[in-house]
Every structure is written in structure tokens, then in C-alpha cells.
Amino acid sequence: MKSPLLFSGLSEADVRDLLAAGQARLLKRHEMLGHQGHPADAFAMVQIGHLKLVQLSAGGSENLVRFIGPGDCYGAVALVSGARYPLSAIAVEPSQVLTWTREAIGGLTERLPQLKSNILEEVMRRMSGVLFTAQDLATTRVPQRVAHALLRLAESGGCRTPAGVQIVHPVTRQDLAELTGTSLFTVSRLMSHWEAEGLLLTRRGALTLLDPDALERAGAAAGE
Amino acid sequence: MKSPLLFSGLSEADVRDLLAAGQARLLKRHEMLGHQGHPADAFAMVQIGHLKLVQLSAGGSENLVRFIGPGDCYGAVALVSGARYPLSAIAVEPSQVLTWTREAIGGLTERLPQLKSNILEEVMRRMSGVLFTAQDLATTRVPQRVAHALLRLAESGGCRTPAGVQIVHPVTRQDLAELTGTSLFTVSRLMSHWEAEGLLLTRRGALTLLDPDALERAGAAAGE
DNA sequence: CGTCTCTTTGAAACGCGTCAATGGCTGTGG
DNA sequence: CCACAGCCATTGACGCGTTTCAAAGAGACG
């Protein structure tokens, strides 16, 4: 595993302390790590596997916000006393996370200002990301939004192959539809179209972007 | 001015120091306080007037994210070294803000952990807010989104009157359209309709919600 | 009084959601 | 080993919600 951004600037000794202070937890498929609306009493970092962060709507339906994988963290809001999780985290495959209680992570951030800075930085990065997707939802058409979602997935959880960038998250059309605020039918149509044009490849669940740049352009042109 | 959330839990002496360390700045209509993409070298709190926070799209067009008024702050990202503003702030009317340089606010947050907590808490609150609007954009129809935007405006910048809640921000249909990701035509139609039903009142720029609850229901029903 | 910004309303075109029907793939159990 | 169920993907047809465009009204301000 490449070193998480969470650890940047920390000494090896500090990282060791940090890891030692956390408690590992195994998650089965569909098991929840944190519940939206419940008191944020723990902070966690994914070590193995992938989780999805979902938001419950007023109507009770769930919808996907984003995926997180190894090195990503969840529950930064636990640093605020009395806060509640704004999102739920659910394992999409058997996973392992390292968790810290609120007191533990609070104490660690006091002792390691660099850690606190790293977390704040990550929160700000997330803020920018959410602002961008909100703008995307507000101003662009469906094809471009789907293209952007694919590119974002490729960036956060992609691995380079000779043919292109392969997306490691197990992502369904329904997932993409929720990410982009559309229906799975429309996503299916778009992706069939793009696959016919040779921009991407979907083989039994594995999704590979063959030409990210062209995809960006295709989304913009179709949405025009 | 009611005491800003930024000051909660601080002693009077600390608040005095904080105010003394900041530098007041007057803004004319349309003057920019911070530029999206520029290095975040200052943190600011609005004292008088209202600003709008806008986001520049890839195409170069501006679009509105939200309004801020007295007691609200801008530029929390300045606490992260090397960060850039994710949004621009523009005065919508002659305004006054109190600004701190990055070094100044950094020093103050070191000395006053409570201040740092307050800022972090505010950032988390904003995160929840943006996540909510993103979900709204993704899952609900236009009428409900517009209703929500109006209710949000009423909550953040509303003043109670015998008739209902009056919105203090100088807000145009175009503004509402940008907030909700629709066109000003659709907003105009919706509001004409709601005004005919007696849910709200628009008199030369002043916007008053006569029955917020009914508005929420109307948005849901029309969007069904 | 004229210009500028904001608003209203109508009519037409279109994007996309919705529904229905079908087919492929995976895992499970007889 | 095969049959079944369940999940996910595909594709077409239809209708509705919204955008788009055009044209005109209403204040506000110099």
C-alpha cells in the first residue's frame, strides 16, 4: 500500500504510534462502518477493500456519494465534539479498516499538529470535490456528468494498464446513476454508445477507460 | 449584531484580541474579496452587508453557490498552507469585512484552540450543507429544489415579520436559478404560481415567505 | 425621458425519466 | 450436472418536465 496522504510529513515513529493506537476491524460485504445521523464517535482509515459513502434522503432512499479505498479516511467530523456523521459508510466488499475512538484521535491530533493539518487538508479537498460535483449537477447535462463520474472514479481508484485506466471499484450502472443524478437506463445507453465508439470497455464487471481525454470531449459534445 | 458562531466559547477578552488583530476592509458593490484559484492568504468575517460566493465553471461562466452575511466567514481554507480558494467572494452591496492574514489567523488558532474548533465546526457544517444541496440536485425535481433554496435563504438570512419571513438578501430569479440548477424562466413561473396561491410575496425586490411549511409541501407535491 | 436590468408569459422542441420486455451472468441447491 | 432464482444490463417506445427562444412589460436610475 502506498503511503496515505494522512501520514504525509509524519516521522516513521509517529506513524508507528498512530497505527498502534488504532484498532483494526474487519467488515463483511454490506456491513456498515458508520451510520448517518449517529454521533460521530470514531475516525477510520481504510486499509483493505472499498466502502461506499451513502446519504439517506428525506424519503428514506439511499444514494451514493462516492467510493473510498485503501488510504482514504472516514469520519473526520469526529474531531468536532458532539457532531454526527453526515454520511453512512458501507463496505462493498470484504474490507479492513483501522479505527480510532474520538478521544484517541483527539489526543493524537493534539500531540501531532501535522496530523491535524493533514486531516484538515483532506477535509478541504473533499469540500472542493463536493462543490465541483454540485456545480456539475447544476450546470451540465447528463452525458458530461457521467463522463466526469467515470473520470473521477478512474482518478481515485484506477490502475493503469497498457490499454488504458482500469477502475477497481465494483461499480454498477445503478451506482453511476446515483453518482450523477440520473437513471440507470440513461447510463446504460450512454455507456453502450461509448463502448461502440471504443472509448471504454466493460468486461464482466471490470470497467476500463481506453481514452479518458476522448471521453471528456464526448461528454461535452453530447451535452453541448 | 448577534454574536457570531465563530466566537462561541471565547472569553470577552479573547474576542477583543481577535477583533483587534483583524483589519477592517470596505467593499463596494461587485468588489471581490477573494478570487477562486488564487492562493488563500486571508481569512475573513463579514461585519456589514452581504457577499455572494460564486464558482467559475470550466466554460468560464460564473455561478452562485450561496450568500453570506454578518457573522459568516470566508476563507477557512487559509488555515491549510499552500491552499487556494475554492470559491470567489463578491459583495452584492456595499459591505464591510474583517480580515486576517494567513499568518495572523494561524497564530490566533494556535493560541485559542476553541477558535480552531469553531472554524472546524463551521467547515463541517458547510460540508453537510453542500452535501445536502448536492443530493437535492441529484434526486429531486426543480420545484422542490427552488422551494428548498427559498427556505434555506430564509433560514440563513431571514427576518421574522408579522406576515412571515422576509429574505434580506437582494436575490434575483437568476440567482435562484443558479442556486438550483435551472433557468430563470422556470423560477419565474414557479414563483408566479406560488404568489398566486398566497405562499409568498415579491414586492420590488423584497421577498417574503408567507407560509414556509406550505411551500415545502408545494415543492414536494409539484415535484411528486 | 431613455437606458438598463429584471421579470413575465407563451409556444415549440428536446432531453431524459419512466415503464415494459428481454437476455446474460452468477451463485445456489436439488 | 442441470435448473432455477436473482441480479444486472440492454433496448425500444412513450410522455412529461424543462429548456430554449422570442417578445413585451415593469421598475430603477441617471
Side-chain angles (χ1 to χ4, degrees):
Chain A
M1 174 170 77
K2 58 178 183 288
S3 174
L5 289 171
L6 188 61
F7 297 159
S8 79
L10 291 176
S11 71
E12 278 193 31
D14 287 339
V15 170
R16 237 185 339 265
D17 287 357
L18 190 52
L19 291 173
Q23 181 167 1
R25 177 172 164 191
L26 294 172
L27 298 171
K28 291 197 257 289
R29 242 172 85 96
H30 299 149
E31 193 172 347
M32 293 180 74
L33 171 62
H35 293 251
Q36 175 179 348
H38 288 207
D41 48 15
F43 174 79
M45 187 185 77
V46 180
Q47 292 186 301
I48 302 170
H50 292 275
L51 315 201
K52 59 179 178 180
L53 304 188
V54 304
Q55 192 170 28
L56 305 167
S57 76
S61 69
E62 271 181 5
N63 72 331
L64 182 55
V65 174
R66 67 190 179 98
F67 287 95
I68 59 177
D72 295 327
C73 48
Y74 168 76
V77 75
L79 289 176
V80 174
S81 71
R84 293 164 180 278
Y85 293 118
L87 299 171
S88 299
I90 304 177
V92 294
E93 58 189 11
S95 305
Q96 180 184 330
V97 297
L98 199 57
T99 68
W100 294 266
T101 63
R102 192 151 75 84
E103 296 75 36
I105 195 68
L108 285 163
T109 54
E110 287 311 309
R111 202 157 57 71
L112 305 172
Q114 178 66 41
L115 175 61
K116 195 169 198 171
S117 295
N118 289 347
I119 294 177
L120 184 60
E121 190 172 340
E122 173 61 18
V123 168
M124 291 300 180
R125 205 192 331 276
R126 291 309 323 145
M127 176 70 89
S128 293
V130 179
L131 281 169
F132 181 83
T133 73
Q135 170 173 258
D136 218 34
L137 286 165
T139 65
T140 70
R141 305 239 163 249
V142 168
Q144 187 157 15
R145 298 209 299 266
V146 176
H148 282 166
L150 289 170
L151 294 169
R152 210 176 327 129
L153 284 170
E155 193 169 355
S156 92
C159 82
R160 300 210 159 284
T161 70
V165 185
Q166 181 168 357
I167 291 172
V168 301
H169 305 284
V171 55
T172 68
R173 311 290 143 132
Q174 174 67 34
D175 291 333
L176 281 166
E178 289 181 17
L179 282 173
T180 54
T182 180
S183 67
L184 87 167
F185 306 102
T186 302
V187 172
S188 178
R189 269 183 261 269
L190 280 169
M191 292 188 65
S192 298
H193 189 221
W194 287 335
E195 187 160 14
E197 287 183 347
L199 300 183
L200 50 80
L201 215 79
T202 74
R203 281 292 237 259
R204 54 172 155 277
L207 178 56
T208 310
L209 308 188
L210 300 176
D211 189 345
D213 294 342
L215 191 57
E216 166 72 45
R217 272 179 275 116
E224 184 202 6
Chain B
M1 174 171 78
K2 58 179 184 288
S3 175
L5 289 169
L6 187 62
F7 297 159
S8 78
L10 292 177
S11 71
E12 277 192 33
D14 287 338
V15 171
R16 234 185 342 262
D17 285 358
L18 190 52
L19 292 174
Q23 182 166 0
R25 177 173 165 193
L26 294 173
L27 299 170
K28 291 197 255 290
R29 243 173 85 96
H30 299 149
E31 193 172 346
M32 292 181 74
L33 172 60
H35 293 250
Q36 174 180 347
H38 289 207
D41 49 15
F43 174 78
M45 186 185 76
V46 180
Q47 293 186 301
I48 302 170
H50 292 275
L51 316 200
K52 58 179 179 182
L53 304 188
V54 304
Q55 193 169 25
L56 304 168
S57 76
S61 68
E62 272 182 3
N63 73 332
L64 181 56
V65 175
R66 67 189 178 99
F67 288 96
I68 59 177
D72 295 326
C73 48
Y74 168 76
V77 77
L79 289 177
V80 174
S81 72
R84 293 164 180 277
Y85 292 118
L87 299 172
S88 300
I90 304 176
V92 294
E93 59 190 7
S95 305
Q96 181 184 329
V97 297
L98 198 58
T99 68
W100 293 265
T101 64
R102 194 151 76 81
E103 296 75 36
I105 196 69
L108 284 164
T109 54
E110 288 310 310
R111 202 157 56 71
L112 305 172
Q114 178 67 41
L115 174 62
K116 197 169 197 170
S117 296
N118 289 347
I119 293 176
L120 184 61
E121 191 173 340
E122 174 60 17
V123 168
M124 291 301 181
R125 205 191 332 276
R126 290 310 325 146
M127 177 69 91
S128 294
V130 180
L131 282 170
F132 181 84
T133 74
Q135 170 173 261
D136 220 34
L137 286 165
T139 65
T140 70
R141 305 236 163 247
V142 170
Q144 187 157 16
R145 298 209 299 265
V146 176
H148 282 165
L150 289 171
L151 293 169
R152 213 178 323 130
L153 284 171
E155 194 169 356
S156 92
C159 82
R160 300 210 160 282
T161 69
V165 186
Q166 182 169 355
I167 291 172
V168 301
H169 304 284
V171 54
T172 68
R173 311 292 144 129
Q174 174 67 37
D175 291 333
L176 280 166
E178 288 181 17
L179 283 173
T180 55
T182 180
S183 67
L184 86 168
F185 306 101
T186 302
V187 172
S188 177
R189 270 183 259 270
L190 279 169
M191 293 188 64
S192 298
H193 188 220
W194 287 335
E195 187 160 15
E197 288 184 345
L199 300 183
L200 50 79
L201 215 79
T202 77
R203 280 293 237 261
R204 53 171 155 278
L207 178 56
T208 309
L209 308 188
L210 300 176
D211 190 344
D213 295 342
L215 190 58
E216 166 72 47
R217 271 179 277 117
E224 182 204 9

